[in-house]
Amino acid sequence: AQSVTQLDSQVPVFEEAPVELRCNYSSSVSVYLFWYVQYPNQGLQLLLKYLSGSTLVKGINGFEAEFNKSQTSFHLRKPSVHISDTAEYFCAVSTSGYSTLTFGKGTMLLVSP
Amino acid sequence: DTGVSQDPRHKITKRGQNVTFRCDPISEHNRLYWYRQTLGQGPEFLTYFQNEAQLEKSRLLSDRFSAERPKGSFSTLEIQRTEQGDSAMYLCASSLAGSSGETQYFGPGTRLLVL
């Protein structure tokens, strides 16, 4: 079985500052990794995903994430955040042959002016 | 492409009543998933279908829960004899099977409050 740990429940940051949201996973087999964003009272929207190949993955809205197999991490970064990035961010994992997603508890990104 | 839709968006019910939620996936998607999300938690898997076949059910899915996808298109999730602990957001997602790391597209969710 796999698991996901999001180390920060809340990350406050000022507008135009850089941000990193941390995600660590545990799995005995190769994984696929995902970051989803959830705005208030809405469903989840895919930001980016890592399947294989280049460990740096670029997604929508200027976000990127880096897969680090040795540290079993998949941290999400953005060089300059906007007020509109305020939302909850979920890291998730699936594996080859098992498409169900296992999610972390989420990190609330709070961007203030 | 109209995306995944769910109905209703909100449901308030009294303990002991039955409720049914509907999910319409993206039309060409053959996989459909149900997740439950409680306050402060990430979504947790409940069950999924490939076409009309229910392939997996989580231990979270008690006997009071039943899901169907009769024609391989829309799906329903029914909760019988609701309990206060059933209060949560119920999310539906769909995907196209066959590709590695297939992307699941989520609907807006149905928020259930059991009084």
Side-chain angles (χ1 to χ4, degrees):
Chain A
Q2 54 268 13
S3 66
V4 175
T5 302
Q6 292 185 245
L7 298 166
D8 305 298
S9 58
Q10 277 193 9
V11 173
V13 64
F14 289 109
E15 193 174 19
E16 296 183 7
V19 70
E20 178 180 84
L21 306 183
R22 298 180 292 170
C23 171
N24 287 86
Y25 68 92
S26 173
S27 176
S28 57
V29 298
S30 296
V31 296
Y32 304 125
L33 293 155
F34 304 79
W35 275 99
Y36 282 86
V37 60
Q38 186 176 35
Y39 298 101
N41 298 314
Q42 294 187 28
L44 282 73
Q45 180 183 5
L46 181 70
L47 280 177
L48 49 79
K49 64 182 181 182
Y50 171 78
L51 304 181
S52 64
S54 173
T55 57
L56 184 63
V57 180
K58 293 189 182 297
I60 62 171
N61 300 341
F63 284 94
E64 63 181 33
E66 186 156 18
F67 171 61
N68 188 320
K69 188 175 181 180
S70 62
Q71 297 186 2
T72 60
S73 68
F74 190 55
H75 300 333
L76 182 70
R77 302 186 183 100
K78 186 169 183 177
S80 175
V81 294
H82 303 289
I83 297 285
S84 60
D85 292 323
T86 294
E88 186 127 34
Y89 292 78
F90 292 96
C91 182
V93 63
S94 70
T95 61
S96 175
Y98 189 70
S99 61
T100 300
L101 292 170
T102 300
F103 286 88
K105 292 187 175 182
T107 298
M108 185 68 199
L109 176 63
L110 299 165
V111 183
S112 53
Chain B
D1 181 359
T2 57
V4 179
S5 61
Q6 293 185 246
D7 184 70
R9 294 290 307 276
H10 304 273
K11 179 71 177 179
I12 301 174
T13 191
K14 292 182 179 179
R15 189 177 54 182
Q17 298 294 306
N18 299 344
V19 294
T20 299
F21 309 141
R22 176 179 170 126
C23 171
D24 287 88
I26 293 171
S27 57
E28 64 268 25
H29 285 181
N30 52 3
R31 281 189 177 165
L32 187 148
Y33 301 79
W34 286 99
Y35 292 85
R36 181 172 68 187
Q37 185 180 20
T38 53
L39 208 59
Q41 301 294 320
E44 295 174 295
F45 168 73
L46 292 178
T47 188
Y48 93 94
F49 294 83
Q50 181 153 324
N51 300 313
E52 65 274 11
Q54 188 172 18
L55 295 188
E56 187 175 351
K57 293 193 290 186
S58 161
R59 289 171 297 172
L60 293 175
L61 210 67
S62 77
D63 292 344
R64 297 183 297 104
F65 287 69
S66 62
E68 293 182 344
R69 194 182 183 201
K71 296 182 180 179
S73 56
F74 73 92
S75 175
T76 58
L77 178 68
E78 181 183 16
I79 309 174
Q80 296 182 327
R81 305 181 303 281
T82 52
E83 300 173 357
Q84 288 185 326
D86 297 331
S87 295
M89 173 82 91
Y90 290 84
L91 293 165
C92 175
S94 70
S95 68
L96 189 61
S99 55
S100 297
E102 65 201 50
T103 297
Q104 293 183 26
Y105 295 86
F106 283 80
T110 294
R111 186 172 294 281
L112 172 66
L113 178 61
V114 182
L115 301 176

